[in-house]
Amino acid sequence: MTHAIQPKPGILEISPYVGGASKIEGARDVVKLSSNENPFGPSEAVKEAVKKAVHQLHRYPNSDHLPLRTALGEVHGLDPARIICGAGSDEIITFLCQTYGGPGTEVIHTEHGFGMYRISALAAGSAPIEVREHERTVDVDSILEAVNFRTRLVFIANPANPTGTMIGANEVSRLAAELPAHVLLVLDGAYAEFVEEYDGGARLIDKRDNVIMTRTFSKIYGLGGLRIGWAYGPDHVIDALNRVRGPFNLSELQMSAAEAALRDGEYVEKCRAENARLRSWLAKALAELGVASDTSCANFVLARFYDVGEAEACEAHLRADGLLVRKVAGYKLPNCLRITVGDEASCRRVVHSIAGFKGRDI
Ligand SMILES: *Cc1c(COP(=O)(O)O)cnc(C)c1O
């Protein structure tokens, strides 16, 4: 039945985002490796900050996020005036599409790019344009070929999800330099902290006025449940985004948790090191079982199987063993499974289960 009340064009083309599964019917001792969460959770300092913030829940939060922006500026060496905070980086992606998109405009994302780019583009009335990747890696030339006078935004995640691959600083600079002046390049740095000595693109942003990076507290900081993200970009972009941002989009509880997380650098360092160690262990163990993967720069491994059938059977086998991983057919990777790097015990369980699936005893 058609209704007289109709959403604007684009809305009904949105397939709602499906998050990683978290439960298995009837199973106990389930390990969730489907959402790239930090297996160790947030640091103790964050839990203390949350306990304190609980006493002020009747107060409206400050609306300029200044203490958090100041802390971000100090820790990352950035100008706090050019930082905006959001309810997860998802909200920043929404702001970007609302601000620069709209009917008659195009938003570019890549073949295996993060699902929220398409959803937010459609919600804003823009046409999402998908461009080819080269061997599961963002391809700058394909992006440049797809750009036209309607293009407003180009989204790339670096490192990317769900592939875990990354393009180098030279390629990112070349993309920024060769885009026409009316196009804004968005560098999604959700996994930037997992890469040692990587600034997410901050220095490039300082040199140009057409690049912005989005960042999150959901991944290495272990705060996916609290919804805190931020972005760093040129003055004119941050100013425009702030006009569409609701004044109270972040609670005091979120902001204090984020600030505490940021200031506990030792904990972040520990998580980064542990992730790197277990990630290479996992990739190597999978390779020995005949399961290939690209070198991952993030906190997951994209395991590549022989075909769709084998990937699906392996996912079911893992699930029967209480292990939840992410199917990524929706990302045009039907023969792959994305496995978050968990703690050591979880990584061992995954390898043991896949060995069983492959009929190998280890
Ligand atoms: C997880 C993730 C995010 C983070 O989203 P939040 O809204 O900050 O939780 C953003 N981009 C990519 C590519 C991600 O994988």
Side-chain angles (χ1 to χ4, degrees):
M1 190 181 124
T2 55
H3 297 275
I5 299 173
Q6 280 291 312
K8 59 188 186 180
I11 302 297
L12 297 182
E13 285 175 54
I14 297 173
S15 322
Y17 184 86
V18 183
S22 58
K23 283 201 201 83
I24 301 174
E25 216 49 65
R28 280 181 307 143
D29 213 8
V30 171
V31 180
K32 183 183 176 201
L33 302 171
S34 55
S35 295
N36 299 343
E37 295 152 344
N38 182 334
F40 310 108
S43 86
E44 289 307 315
V46 170
K47 293 179 200 166
E48 284 308 311
V50 167
K51 273 187 211 154
K52 267 198 210 150
V54 158
H55 301 292
Q56 295 297 319
L57 289 179
H58 55 304
R59 304 282 181 209
Y60 268 89
N62 105 18
S63 65
D64 65 10
H65 310 152
L66 187 58
L68 177 55
R69 288 190 293 112
T70 305
L72 284 164
E74 281 172 25
V75 170
H76 293 285
L78 308 172
D79 174 5
R82 292 197 282 135
I83 294 174
I84 181 172
C85 303
S89 44
D90 282 359
E91 193 183 30
I92 312 268
I93 297 169
T94 303
F95 293 159
L96 283 161
C97 290
Q98 279 184 299
T99 303
Y100 296 102
T105 68
E106 296 181 354
V107 172
I108 292 179
H109 64 88
T110 63
E111 192 177 352
H112 311 298
F114 185 50
M116 288 311 297
Y117 310 147
R118 179 183 163 82
I119 292 178
S120 295
L122 284 168
S126 297
I129 304 296
E130 179 187 305
V131 308
R132 235 173 351 96
E133 295 194 14
H134 178 69
E135 299 199 332
R136 300 168 299 281
T137 308
V138 165
D139 182 47
V140 167
D141 292 312
S142 300
I143 293 174
L144 290 169
E145 276 165 34
V147 171
N148 62 37
F149 70 95
R150 288 182 294 271
T151 310
R152 293 294 178 277
L153 295 164
V154 170
F155 281 100
I156 64 171
N158 209 30
N161 170 25
T163 57
T165 60
M166 223 181 146
I167 61 170
N170 290 345
E171 280 298 273
V172 177
S173 306
R174 179 165 79 87
L175 176 58
E178 293 185 20
L179 281 171
H182 64 279
V183 180
L184 178 63
L185 172 61
V186 186
L187 301 174
D188 181 335
Y191 301 96
E193 290 84 358
F194 292 102
V195 184
E196 235 169 310
E197 308 283 320
Y198 175 54
D199 68 2
R203 295 293 84 83
L204 179 68
I205 292 162
D206 286 337
K207 280 189 274 183
R208 306 195 56 91
D209 74 347
N210 67 337
V211 186
I212 184 170
M213 71 172 171
T214 62
R215 304 285 290 262
T216 185
F217 284 90
S218 300
K219 303 288 156 59
I220 208 165
Y221 295 100
L223 287 171
L226 211 48
R227 316 305 305 129
I228 317 139
W230 56 283
Y232 178 67
D235 277 320
H236 71 103
V237 175
I238 298 300
D239 172 66
L241 298 180
N242 266 318
R243 291 167 197 261
V244 305
R245 176 178 72 80
F248 306 118
N249 64 325
L250 281 189
S251 66
E252 217 52 68
L253 199 145
Q254 287 166 297
M255 290 187 275
S256 0
E259 191 177 335
L262 205 53
R263 297 202 183 277
D264 193 349
E266 211 176 298
Y267 185 74
V268 178
E269 196 43 61
K270 201 183 100 196
C271 293
R272 174 176 24 242
E274 193 64 352
N275 176 71
R277 180 178 78 85
L278 291 168
R279 180 180 61 199
S280 46
W281 182 85
L282 178 62
K284 188 160 167 277
L286 291 176
E288 282 163 10
L289 292 170
V291 180
S293 60
D294 300 312
T295 300
S296 169
C297 301
N299 64 341
F300 54 85
V301 168
L302 184 71
R304 238 167 35 243
F305 293 85
Y306 177 68
D307 59 14
V308 190
E310 193 191 26
E312 287 186 349
C314 185
E315 193 272 340
H317 185 94
L318 285 162
R319 191 146 28 86
D321 281 346
L323 297 162
L324 287 166
V325 302
R326 185 65 158 264
K327 288 198 207 181
V328 284
Y331 286 95
K332 306 211 159 153
L333 295 160
N335 62 328
C336 299
L337 297 175
R338 192 192 67 192
I339 307 171
T340 301
V341 177
D343 59 14
E344 183 157 342
S346 315
C347 289
R348 288 186 184 279
R349 269 179 72 179
V350 166
V351 170
H352 187 77
S353 176
I354 296 183
F357 170 72
K358 290 274 195 182
R360 298 261 285 271
D361 250 342
I362 56 162

